[in-house]
Coordinates of all heavy atoms in Angstrom, one line a residue:
M1 N -47.2 26.5 26.1 CA -47.1 27.7 25.2 C -45.8 28.4 25.7 O -45.6 28.7 26.9 CB -48.2 28.7 25.3 CG -48.0 30.0 24.5 SD -49.3 31.2 24.8 CE -50.7 30.4 24.0
P2 N -44.8 28.7 24.9 CA -43.7 29.4 25.2 C -44.0 30.9 25.6 O -45.0 31.5 25.0 CB -42.8 29.4 23.9 CG -43.8 29.2 22.9 CD -44.9 28.4 23.3
E3 N -43.3 31.4 26.6 CA -43.4 32.8 27.0 C -42.7 33.6 26.0 O -41.7 33.3 25.5 CB -42.8 33.0 28.4 CG -43.6 32.3 29.5 CD -43.1 32.5 30.9 OE1 -42.5 33.7 31.1 OE2 -43.2 31.8 31.7
L4 N -43.3 34.9 25.7 CA -42.6 35.9 24.9 C -42.2 36.9 25.8 O -42.7 37.4 26.7 CB -43.7 36.3 23.9 CG -44.1 35.3 22.9 CD1 -45.2 36.0 22.0 CD2 -43.1 34.8 22.0
C5 N -41.0 37.5 25.3 CA -40.4 38.6 26.0 C -40.1 39.7 25.0 O -39.4 39.4 24.0 CB -39.1 38.1 26.6 SG -38.2 39.6 27.5
F6 N -40.6 40.9 25.1 CA -40.5 41.9 24.1 C -39.7 43.0 24.8 O -39.8 43.2 26.0 CB -41.9 42.4 23.6 CG -42.7 41.6 22.8 CD1 -43.4 40.6 23.3 CD2 -42.4 41.7 21.4 CE1 -44.1 39.8 22.4 CE2 -43.0 40.8 20.5 CZ -43.8 39.9 21.0
G7 N -39.0 43.8 24.1 CA -38.2 45.0 24.5 C -38.5 46.1 23.6 O -38.5 45.9 22.4
I8 N -38.7 47.3 24.2 CA -39.0 48.5 23.3 C -38.0 49.5 23.8 O -37.8 50.0 24.8 CB -40.4 49.1 23.6 CG1 -41.5 48.0 23.3 CG2 -40.7 50.3 22.9 CD1 -42.9 48.4 23.7
D9 N -37.4 50.1 22.8 CA -36.4 51.2 22.9 C -36.9 52.5 22.2 O -36.9 52.5 21.1 CB -34.9 50.8 22.3 CG -34.1 51.9 22.4 OD1 -34.3 53.0 23.0 OD2 -32.9 51.7 21.9
L10 N -37.4 53.3 23.0 CA -37.9 54.6 22.4 C -36.8 55.6 22.6 O -36.8 56.3 23.6 CB -39.2 55.0 23.1 CG -40.3 54.0 22.9 CD1 -41.6 54.5 23.8 CD2 -40.7 53.9 21.5
G11 N -35.8 55.6 21.7 CA -34.7 56.5 21.8 C -35.0 57.9 21.2 O -36.0 58.2 20.6
T12 N -34.1 58.8 21.6 CA -34.2 60.2 21.1 C -33.9 60.3 19.6 O -34.4 61.2 19.0 CB -33.3 61.2 21.9 OG1 -32.0 60.6 21.8 CG2 -33.8 61.2 23.3
T13 N -33.1 59.4 19.0 CA -32.7 59.4 17.6 C -33.5 58.3 16.8 O -34.1 58.6 15.7 CB -31.2 59.2 17.5 OG1 -30.6 60.2 18.2 CG2 -30.8 59.3 16.0
N14 N -33.5 57.1 17.4 CA -34.0 56.0 16.8 C -34.9 55.1 17.8 O -34.6 55.2 18.9 CB -33.1 55.0 16.1 CG -32.3 55.7 14.9 OD1 -33.0 56.0 13.9 ND2 -31.1 55.9 15.1
S15 N -35.8 54.4 17.3 CA -36.6 53.4 18.1 C -36.6 52.0 17.6 O -36.4 51.8 16.3 CB -38.1 53.9 18.1 OG -38.2 55.2 18.9
C16 N -36.8 51.1 18.4 CA -36.8 49.7 17.9 C -37.7 48.8 18.8 O -37.9 49.1 20.1 CB -35.3 49.2 18.1 SG -35.2 47.4 17.6
I17 N -38.4 47.7 18.3 CA -39.1 46.8 19.2 C -38.5 45.4 18.8 O -38.3 45.2 17.6 CB -40.6 46.8 18.8 CG1 -41.2 48.1 19.1 CG2 -41.2 45.7 19.6 CD1 -42.7 48.3 18.7
A18 N -38.2 44.7 19.8 CA -37.5 43.5 19.6 C -38.1 42.4 20.5 O -38.7 42.6 21.5 CB -36.0 43.5 19.8
Y19 N -37.9 41.1 20.2 CA -38.4 40.0 21.0 C -37.2 38.9 21.1 O -36.3 38.9 20.3 CB -39.6 39.4 20.6 CG -39.6 38.7 19.1 CD1 -39.4 37.4 19.0 CD2 -39.7 39.5 18.0 CE1 -39.2 36.8 17.8 CE2 -39.6 38.8 16.7 CZ -39.3 37.5 16.6 OH -39.3 36.9 15.4
L20 N -37.4 38.1 22.2 CA -36.4 37.0 22.3 C -36.9 35.8 21.7 O -38.0 35.4 21.9 CB -36.3 36.8 23.9 CG -35.0 36.0 24.3 CD1 -33.7 36.6 23.7 CD2 -35.0 35.9 25.7
N21 N -36.1 35.2 20.8 CA -36.6 34.0 20.1 C -35.4 33.0 20.1 O -34.4 33.2 19.4 CB -36.8 34.4 18.5 CG -37.2 33.3 17.7 OD1 -37.7 32.2 18.3 ND2 -37.1 33.4 16.3
N22 N -35.7 31.9 20.8 CA -34.6 30.9 21.0 C -33.3 31.4 21.5 O -32.2 31.0 21.0 CB -34.5 30.1 19.7 CG -35.7 29.3 19.4 OD1 -36.4 28.8 20.1 ND2 -36.0 29.2 18.1
G23 N -33.3 32.3 22.4 CA -32.3 32.9 23.0 C -31.5 34.0 22.2 O -30.5 34.4 22.5
R24 N -32.2 34.3 21.1 CA -31.5 35.3 20.2 C -32.5 36.6 20.1 O -33.7 36.4 20.0 CB -31.3 34.9 18.7 CG -30.3 33.8 18.9 CD -29.9 33.4 17.5 NE -29.2 34.5 16.8 CZ -28.9 34.5 15.6 NH1 -29.0 33.6 14.8 NH2 -28.2 35.6 15.1
T25 N -32.1 37.7 20.2 CA -32.8 38.8 20.0 C -33.2 39.2 18.5 O -32.2 39.2 17.7 CB -32.0 40.2 20.6 OG1 -31.8 39.9 21.8 CG2 -33.0 41.4 20.6
T26 N -34.5 39.4 18.3 CA -34.8 39.6 16.8 C -35.7 40.9 16.8 O -36.7 40.9 17.5 CB -35.7 38.5 16.3 OG1 -35.0 37.2 16.5 CG2 -36.1 38.8 14.8
A27 N -35.2 41.9 16.1 CA -35.9 43.1 15.9 C -37.2 42.9 15.0 O -37.1 42.2 13.9 CB -35.1 44.2 15.2
I28 N -38.3 43.5 15.3 CA -39.5 43.4 14.5 C -39.4 44.4 13.4 O -39.3 45.7 13.7 CB -40.7 43.7 15.3 CG1 -40.8 42.5 16.4 CG2 -42.0 43.7 14.6 CD1 -41.9 42.8 17.4
P29 N -39.5 44.1 12.1 CA -39.4 45.1 11.1 C -40.7 45.9 11.1 O -41.8 45.4 11.0 CB -39.4 44.2 9.7 CG -39.7 42.8 10.1 CD -39.6 42.7 11.7
L30 N -40.5 47.2 11.3 CA -41.6 48.1 11.3 C -42.0 49.0 10.1 O -43.1 49.3 9.9 CB -41.4 49.1 12.5 CG -41.2 48.4 13.9 CD1 -40.7 49.5 14.9 CD2 -42.6 47.9 14.3
E31 N -40.9 49.3 9.5 CA -41.1 50.2 8.4 C -40.0 49.9 7.3 O -38.8 49.7 7.5 CB -40.7 51.7 8.8 CG -40.9 52.7 7.9 CD -40.5 54.1 8.5 OE1 -39.3 54.4 8.7 OE2 -41.5 54.9 8.7
E32 N -40.6 49.7 6.2 CA -39.7 49.3 4.9 C -38.8 48.1 5.2 O -37.7 48.0 4.8 CB -38.8 50.5 4.5 CG -39.7 51.6 4.1 CD -38.8 52.9 3.9 OE1 -37.7 52.8 3.9 OE2 -39.5 53.9 3.5
G33 N -39.3 47.2 6.1 CA -38.6 46.0 6.5 C -37.4 46.2 7.4 O -36.6 45.4 7.7
Q34 N -37.3 47.6 8.0 CA -36.3 47.8 8.9 C -36.7 47.7 10.3 O -37.7 48.0 10.7 CB -35.9 49.4 8.6 CG -35.3 49.5 7.3 CD -34.0 48.8 7.0 OE1 -33.1 48.8 7.7 NE2 -34.0 48.2 5.7
G35 N -35.7 47.2 11.2 CA -36.1 47.0 12.5 C -35.9 48.3 13.4 O -36.4 48.4 14.4
I36 N -35.1 49.3 12.9 CA -34.8 50.4 13.5 C -35.4 51.5 12.7 O -35.2 51.7 11.5 CB -33.3 50.6 13.8 CG1 -32.8 49.5 14.6 CG2 -33.1 52.0 14.3 CD1 -31.3 49.5 14.8
I37 N -36.2 52.5 13.4 CA -36.8 53.6 12.7 C -36.6 54.8 13.3 O -36.3 54.9 14.6 CB -38.4 53.4 12.5 CG1 -39.0 53.5 13.8 CG2 -38.6 52.1 11.7 CD1 -40.5 53.6 13.7
P38 N -36.4 55.9 12.6 CA -36.2 57.3 13.3 C -37.2 57.6 14.2 O -38.4 57.4 13.9 CB -36.1 58.3 12.1 CG -35.9 57.4 11.0 CD -36.5 56.1 11.2
S39 N -36.9 58.2 15.3 CA -37.9 58.7 16.3 C -38.4 60.0 15.9 O -38.1 61.1 16.6 CB -37.3 58.7 17.7 OG -36.8 57.4 18.2
V40 N -39.2 60.1 15.0 CA -39.7 61.3 14.3 C -41.1 61.2 14.1 O -41.7 60.1 13.6 CB -39.0 61.7 13.1 CG1 -39.5 63.1 12.6 CG2 -37.5 61.8 13.2
V41 N -42.0 62.2 14.5 CA -43.4 62.3 14.2 C -43.7 63.5 13.6 O -43.1 64.6 13.9 CB -44.3 62.1 15.5 CG1 -45.8 62.2 15.2 CG2 -44.0 60.7 16.2
S42 N -44.6 63.6 12.5 CA -45.0 64.8 11.8 C -46.4 64.8 11.6 O -47.0 63.7 11.3 CB -44.1 65.0 10.5 OG -44.4 66.2 9.8
Y43 N -47.0 65.9 11.6 CA -48.5 66.1 11.1 C -48.5 66.9 9.8 O -48.1 68.0 9.7 CB -49.3 66.9 12.2 CG -50.8 66.9 11.7 CD1 -51.6 65.7 11.7 CD2 -51.2 68.1 11.4 CE1 -52.9 65.9 11.3 CE2 -52.7 68.1 11.0 CZ -53.4 67.1 11.0 OH -54.7 67.1 10.6
D44 N -49.0 66.2 8.8 CA -49.2 66.8 7.5 C -50.6 67.6 7.3 O -51.5 66.9 7.3 CB -49.2 65.7 6.4 CG -49.3 66.3 5.0 OD1 -49.4 67.5 4.8 OD2 -49.3 65.4 4.1
T45 N -50.5 68.8 7.6 CA -51.8 69.7 7.7 C -52.5 69.7 6.4 O -53.7 69.6 6.3 CB -51.4 71.1 8.1 OG1 -50.5 71.7 7.2 CG2 -51.0 71.1 9.5
A46 N -51.8 69.6 5.1 CA -52.4 69.5 3.9 C -53.1 68.3 3.6 O -54.3 68.2 3.2 CB -51.4 69.9 2.8
G47 N -52.6 67.2 4.1 CA -53.1 65.8 3.8 C -53.9 65.3 5.1 O -54.7 64.3 4.9
G48 N -53.8 66.0 6.2 CA -54.5 65.7 7.4 C -54.2 64.2 8.0 O -55.1 63.6 8.4
R49 N -52.8 64.0 8.0 CA -52.4 62.7 8.4 C -51.2 62.7 9.2 O -50.3 63.8 8.9 CB -52.2 61.8 7.3 CG -51.2 62.1 6.3 CD -51.2 61.2 5.0 NE -50.2 61.7 4.1 CZ -49.2 60.9 3.7 NH1 -49.1 59.7 4.1 NH2 -48.2 61.4 2.9
F50 N -50.9 61.9 10.1 CA -49.8 61.7 10.9 C -48.8 61.0 10.2 O -49.1 59.9 9.6 CB -50.0 61.2 12.3 CG -50.7 62.2 13.2 CD1 -52.1 62.1 13.4 CD2 -49.9 63.1 14.0 CE1 -52.6 63.0 14.2 CE2 -50.4 64.0 14.7 CZ -51.9 64.0 14.9
L51 N -47.5 61.3 10.1 CA -46.4 60.6 9.6 C -45.4 60.2 10.7 O -45.2 61.0 11.7 CB -45.6 61.4 8.6 CG -46.5 62.0 7.4 CD1 -45.7 62.9 6.6 CD2 -47.0 60.8 6.6
V52 N -44.8 58.9 10.6 CA -44.0 58.5 11.5 C -42.8 57.9 10.9 O -42.8 57.5 9.8 CB -44.7 57.3 12.4 CG1 -43.8 56.6 13.4 CG2 -45.9 57.8 13.0
G53 N -41.5 58.0 11.6 CA -40.3 57.3 11.1 C -39.8 58.1 9.9 O -39.7 59.3 10.0
R54 N -39.3 57.2 8.9 CA -38.6 57.8 7.7 C -39.5 58.9 7.0 O -39.1 59.9 6.5 CB -38.2 56.8 6.9 CG -36.9 56.0 7.5 CD -36.5 54.8 6.5 NE -35.4 54.2 7.2 CZ -35.6 53.3 8.2 NH1 -36.7 53.1 8.7 NH2 -34.5 52.9 8.8
Q55 N -40.8 58.6 6.9 CA -41.7 59.5 6.1 C -41.7 60.9 6.8 O -41.7 61.8 6.2 CB -43.1 58.9 6.1 CG -43.4 57.8 5.3 CD -44.8 57.3 5.1 OE1 -45.6 57.6 6.0 NE2 -45.1 56.7 4.0
A56 N -41.8 60.8 8.1 CA -41.8 62.1 9.0 C -40.4 62.9 8.8 O -40.4 64.1 8.7 CB -42.1 61.8 10.4
R57 N -39.4 62.0 8.9 CA -38.1 62.7 8.7 C -37.8 63.3 7.3 O -37.3 64.4 7.1 CB -36.9 61.7 9.0 CG -35.5 62.1 8.9 CD -34.5 61.2 9.0 NE -34.6 60.2 7.9 CZ -34.1 59.1 7.8 NH1 -33.3 58.6 8.8 NH2 -34.3 58.4 6.6
N58 N -38.3 62.6 6.3 CA -38.2 63.1 5.0 C -39.2 64.3 4.7 O -38.6 65.3 4.0 CB -38.6 62.0 4.0 CG -37.5 60.8 3.9 OD1 -36.5 61.0 4.5 ND2 -38.0 59.6 3.4
R59 N -40.3 64.3 5.3 CA -41.0 65.5 5.2 C -40.5 66.7 5.9 O -40.6 67.9 5.3 CB -42.4 65.2 5.8 CG -43.4 66.5 5.7 CD -44.8 66.1 6.2 NE -45.7 67.2 6.2 CZ -45.8 68.3 6.8 NH1 -45.0 68.3 7.9 NH2 -46.5 69.4 6.7
R60 N -39.8 66.5 7.0 CA -39.2 67.7 7.7 C -38.1 68.2 6.8 O -37.7 69.3 6.8 CB -38.6 67.1 9.0 CG -38.0 68.2 9.9 CD -38.9 69.3 10.3 NE -38.2 70.2 11.2 CZ -38.8 71.4 11.5 NH1 -40.1 71.7 11.2 NH2 -38.1 72.1 12.3
A61 N -37.3 67.3 6.2 CA -36.2 67.8 5.3 C -36.7 68.6 4.1 O -36.1 69.5 3.7 CB -35.4 66.5 4.9
A62 N -37.8 68.0 3.5 CA -38.3 68.7 2.3 C -39.0 70.0 2.7 O -39.1 70.9 1.9 CB -39.3 67.8 1.7
F63 N -39.7 70.1 3.9 CA -40.4 71.2 4.3 C -40.0 71.7 5.6 O -40.7 71.5 6.7 CB -42.0 70.9 4.2 CG -42.6 70.5 3.0 CD1 -42.7 69.1 2.8 CD2 -42.7 71.2 1.9 CE1 -43.2 68.6 1.6 CE2 -43.2 70.8 0.6 CZ -43.4 69.5 0.6
P64 N -38.7 72.3 5.9 CA -38.3 72.5 7.1 C -39.1 73.7 7.8 O -39.2 73.8 9.1 CB -36.9 73.2 6.8 CG -36.9 73.4 5.4 CD -37.9 72.6 4.8
Q65 N -39.9 74.5 7.0 CA -40.7 75.6 7.7 C -42.0 75.1 8.2 O -42.6 75.9 8.9 CB -40.9 76.7 6.6 CG -41.9 76.3 5.6 CD -41.3 75.4 4.5 OE1 -40.2 75.0 4.5 NE2 -42.2 75.2 3.4
A66 N -42.4 74.0 7.8 CA -43.7 73.4 8.2 C -43.8 72.8 9.7 O -42.8 72.4 10.2 CB -44.2 72.3 7.2

């Protein structure tokens, strides 16, 4: 069985998870097929759910007072 090597970059602006595949780095698509997502988390009190990435960033832009 081949060994897997993963890397996680939890940046202040964006985050990414990638793995090594035949000597090449491949980002894992996490959101909307994108390998890099915004490092943003939001809690929607009206809907009672946590939002991550682009959804959280868009909510913050739409409701800056929340």
Side-chain angles (χ1 to χ4, degrees):
M1 176 190 293
E3 292 185 28
L4 294 176
C5 179
F6 288 88
I8 301 172
D9 175 9
L10 299 175
T12 56
T13 304
N14 293 297
S15 295
C16 178
I17 300 174
Y19 64 96
L20 196 57
N21 182 16
N22 294 323
R24 297 187 65 180
T25 304
T26 304
I28 298 173
L30 300 170
E31 181 181 75
E32 300 171 3
Q34 300 296 312
I36 297 174
I37 65 169
S39 298
V40 182
V41 177
S42 177
Y43 181 69
D44 178 7
T45 55
R49 62 190 179 122
F50 284 99
L51 303 173
V52 178
R54 286 175 184 76
Q55 287 183 338
R57 182 188 63 196
N58 294 343
R59 182 177 182 276
R60 181 68 177 171
F63 304 102
Q65 72 284 3

